[in-house]
Amino acid sequence: MGWSATAGEVDNFVFEDANSVFIDDPEMQAKLLETNPNAFRDIVTTFLEANGRGYWDTSEENIERLQELYAEVEDRIEGV
């Protein structure tokens, strides 16, 4: 998101591709949750922030899923 904030020149497909790799892929998602839940939370937060700032246009369904994932990973980190 850093390039988007400073240059405003990151195409939407960059966020979509990253979302496909880190969020849509169940194996990658499980691996990140198991090995580094804090990093996974940061990834989810970045996607949500990028959308909120208008840098990334994605479906409402995807935003809802990211919000759910954020709640799940936050609970996991906090031991809930």
Side-chain angles (χ1 to χ4, degrees), residues 29-78:
Q29 188 182 116
K31 184 177 181 178
L32 287 169
L33 276 170
E34 288 298 317
T35 59
N36 196 339
N38 288 304
F40 185 71
R41 179 183 56 189
D42 290 347
I43 292 168
V44 171
T45 300
T46 298
F47 285 127
L48 290 169
E49 187 175 351
N51 177 260
R53 290 184 179 203
Y55 301 139
W56 177 41
D57 183 32
T58 191
S59 69
E60 188 61 34
E61 177 182 283
N62 195 40
I63 294 301
E64 289 172 6
R65 191 173 92 196
L66 288 166
Q67 291 168 336
E68 290 169 4
L69 285 171
Y70 182 87
E72 287 177 31
V73 72
E74 188 70 16
D75 287 350
R76 181 185 208 121
I77 291 168
E78 297 296 326

Side-chain angles (χ1 to χ4, degrees), residues 12-21 24 56-59 62:
N12 202 63
F13 81 87
V14 173
F15 290 106
E16 287 297 323
D17 286 355
N19 185 71
S20 294
V21 170
D24 288 344
W56 177 41
D57 183 32
T58 191
S59 69
N62 195 40

